[in-house]
Amino acid sequence: MDTQAHHGDALVVAGKTYRSRLLTGTGKFRDLDETRASTEAAGSEIVTVAIRRSNIGQNPGEPNLLDVLPPDRYTILPNTAGCYTAEDAVRTCRLARELLDGHALVKLEVLGDQRTLFPDVVQTLKAAEQLVAEGFDVMVYTSDDPLLAKRLEEIGCVAVMPLAAPIGSGLGIQNKWNLVEIVENAKVPIIVDAGVGTASDAAIAMELGCDGVLMNTAIAGAKDPVLMAHAMKLAIEAGRSAFRAGRIPRKRYASASSPVEGLIG
């Protein structure tokens, strides 16, 4: 049984409905065949593409990512990876819109430095305001600051994507309570982006109430990317179901699993 479909539980981003809450990247794989196989194993419907690093038509004659991940099957999410200023990020999104025939959905990330790859929040806010004003549907990578997340929502971003840990670190979720605060005060999807290392990290993000998880390195960097992609798919589904089911409260003492009333003897 497809539990999410059974319960009518779907992710909605910029007015479009998705069954999968696992978003995946397309970088760092050995080749396009591995990219395709891993994406299929993950069950992803939204895939991110680094416009400055991937060929989606701007380099004729070279292997085209869209040949293995066609836009009629996947929602292509151009991202501004590698941008360190608002101006570069906005320019990259405009290029993506041209390459994808007016495509409006983009993932904004403006990095602060090459060592930490933390988001530059000042430049991110500046770029977000400009892109929203130009009619883009902006999914925005940011720090796990609840106030900043709310501000990005108020600007008009269609999804806010706080990091779990530094990009590619595999450290997992480092600040659960900030994420919970962001989720509880949001009216747009909250999608964890960056820092996931293994399936349990993805499950925890979903159990906290996040609407989805985006990952790349955790899958592409695994010894068996296709198998890890499948594991991540199951973790996302399990974590979401656990969140919807409602966990038991934590207690400091034991609680018998069988009733004590009516004991014999």
Side-chain angles (χ1 to χ4, degrees):
M1 179 181 67
D2 186 330
T3 305
Q4 291 191 21
H6 176 71
H7 289 295
D9 185 34
L11 172 65
V12 180
V13 178
K16 186 172 180 179
T17 300
Y18 301 92
R19 290 177 57 174
S20 174
R21 293 176 177 272
L22 175 56
L23 294 69
T24 52
T26 54
K28 303 184 179 181
F29 291 99
R30 287 177 297 185
D31 51 40
L32 290 182
D33 285 339
E34 187 175 78
T35 305
R36 174 194 52 75
S38 298
T39 304
E40 290 177 351
S44 302
E45 295 172 281
I46 302 176
V47 292
T48 65
V49 177
I51 296 300
R52 305 183 89 185
R53 299 170 182 165
S54 303
N55 180 34
I56 59 170
Q58 66 269 48
N59 299 314
E62 296 184 9
N64 189 329
L65 182 66
L66 301 186
D67 290 338
V68 296
L69 300 177
D72 61 350
R73 180 176 176 185
Y74 299 96
T75 292
I76 305 300
L77 179 61
N79 71 58
T80 61
C83 292
Y84 291 85
T85 67
E87 290 76 15
D88 279 349
V90 170
R91 189 180 307 116
T92 300
C93 289
R94 290 170 179 162
L95 172 61
R97 183 156 60 182
E98 287 184 22
L99 291 170
L100 295 170
D101 299 323
H103 185 83
L105 187 67
V106 294
K107 180 196 167 192
L108 170 65
E109 56 181 82
V110 186
L111 304 178
D113 64 75
Q114 294 185 359
R115 186 177 71 86
T116 68
L117 299 181
F118 282 138
D120 182 326
V121 297
V122 174
Q123 292 294 304
T124 297
L125 284 166
K126 181 179 178 182
E129 289 178 334
Q130 181 64 39
L131 290 169
V132 169
E134 292 187 16
F136 285 93
D137 294 323
V138 180
M139 301 174 69
V140 59
Y141 167 67
T142 183
S143 63
D144 59 356
D145 181 336
L147 298 180
L148 179 60
K150 194 63 182 178
R151 176 63 183 138
L152 289 164
E153 177 187 322
E154 291 169 348
I155 286 173
C157 295
V158 299
V160 177
M161 309 176 75
L163 55 79
I167 292 174
S169 68
L171 290 172
I173 296 172
Q174 295 299 296
N175 196 330
K176 295 179 181 178
W177 311 120
N178 272 24
L179 285 179
V180 170
E181 185 69 18
I182 291 171
V183 167
E184 290 183 348
N185 288 283
K187 296 180 181 177
V188 298
I190 301 300
I191 299 173
V192 165
D193 180 12
V196 168
T198 190
S200 57
D201 299 330
I204 289 171
M206 300 308 296
E207 289 172 1
L208 293 174
C210 295
D211 296 282
V213 180
L214 187 151
M215 63 184 75
N216 187 182
T217 306
I219 294 175
K223 291 181 180 179
D224 187 335
V226 176
L227 184 57
M228 183 60 82
H230 177 65
M232 292 298 189
K233 176 180 184 290
L234 299 179
I236 293 289
E237 293 175 355
R240 180 64 180 179
S241 293
F243 171 72
R244 287 170 59 84
R247 63 156 294 141
I248 62 171
R250 291 178 173 85
K251 299 179 181 178
R252 294 179 57 196
Y253 48 85
S255 177
S257 58
S258 300
V260 295
E261 296 83 5
L263 289 178
I264 300 174

